[in-house]
């Protein structure tokens, strides 16, 4: 739900797509240190089951309150996710299904950024050592180019970013999941 959210942000505002509290802890901190006003967008229709989605959302709320960030929560549209990855259910992790999932979530983030007149966006997904930074960056840059936006390609893993994000999330006692999010990844466990 985006109505009535159009705000004139400073030139240094960025929309951060957040996949979960753990992964977005250090990115929020780093972006703020870089001088950005961070608006966090939690849009993750891939998360299964729905109860897991709400655990991750609650962690994101705690984190955003801690950092004084505005949090925008997208709809939980699992049917849209399943339609988007239809035919790719048997793909391995890190395969075409994951690429489509990233594309869906980053497209929604970019569309929201455009609606809010925020010129830059990025995602916390890239902090995970289990994700392909170059592939995600390519997806983000392509979407940004199509919408006349800028994708900030910051590798949040550098300078011990993953260790830092884990320390921040532990200090805030944030919920920690043990799989990426979708039911296909959960079945692998």
């Amino acid at each position: 739900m985006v109505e009535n959210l159009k705000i004139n942000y400073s030139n240094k505002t960025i929309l951060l797509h957040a996949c979960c509290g753990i992964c977005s802890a250090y990115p929020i901190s780093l972006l703020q240190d870089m001088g950005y006003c961070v608006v966090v967008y939690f849009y993750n229709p891939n998360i299964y089951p729905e109860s897991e989605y709400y655990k991750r959302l609650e962690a994101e709320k705690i984190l955003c309150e801690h950092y004084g960030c505005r949090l925008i929560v997208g709809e939980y549209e699992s049917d849209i996710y399943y339609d988007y990855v239809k035919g790719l259910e048997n793909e391995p992790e890190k395969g075409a299904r994951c690429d489509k999932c990233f594309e869906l979530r980053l497209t929604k983030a970019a569309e929201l950024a455009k609606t809010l007149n925020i010129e830059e966006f990025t995602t916390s997904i890239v902090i995970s050592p289990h994700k392909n930074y170059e592939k995600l960056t390519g997806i983000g840059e392509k979407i940004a180019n199509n919408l006349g936006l800028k994708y900030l390609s910051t590798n949040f893993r550098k300078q011990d970013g993953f260790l830092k994000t884990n320390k921040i999330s532990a200090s805030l006692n944030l919920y920690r999941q043990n799989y990426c999010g979708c039911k296909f990844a959960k079945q692998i466990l």
Side-chain angles (χ1 to χ4, degrees), residues 138-149:
I139 292 168
E141 288 175 345
K142 180 180 176 187
I143 293 165
N145 288 336
N146 289 341
L147 291 174
L149 297 171

Side-chain angles (χ1 to χ4, degrees), residues 17 19 43-49 53 56 76-78 81-82 85 101-102 104-105 179-184:
H17 167 265
C19 56
Y43 178 74
N44 298 291
N46 58 308
I47 297 175
Y48 174 87
Y53 171 87
R56 295 182 192 199
Y76 180 63
E77 306 169 315
S78 59
Y81 165 73
Y82 291 116
V85 300
C101 179
F102 301 146
L104 170 64
R105 294 188 285 161
Y179 66 104
C180 181
C182 76
K183 73 178 182 180
F184 311 110

Side-chain angles (χ1 to χ4, degrees), residues 40-96:
V40 176
Y41 181 45
F42 187 85
Y43 178 74
N44 298 291
N46 58 308
I47 297 175
Y48 174 87
E50 192 171 356
S51 59
E52 177 71 16
Y53 171 87
Y54 286 107
K55 288 177 186 175
R56 295 182 192 199
L57 175 56
E58 186 57 34
E60 197 66 47
K61 287 177 180 178
I62 292 166
L63 184 66
C64 287
E65 185 175 320
H66 174 77
Y67 281 111
C69 294
R70 180 173 180 197
L71 172 62
I72 300 172
V73 180
E75 297 291 323
Y76 180 63
E77 306 169 315
S78 59
D79 53 330
I80 289 176
Y81 165 73
Y82 291 116
D83 286 345
Y84 210 77
V85 300
K86 191 170 181 73
L88 301 171
E89 296 87 351
N90 295 319
E91 282 285 312
E93 277 300 290
K94 301 181 183 179

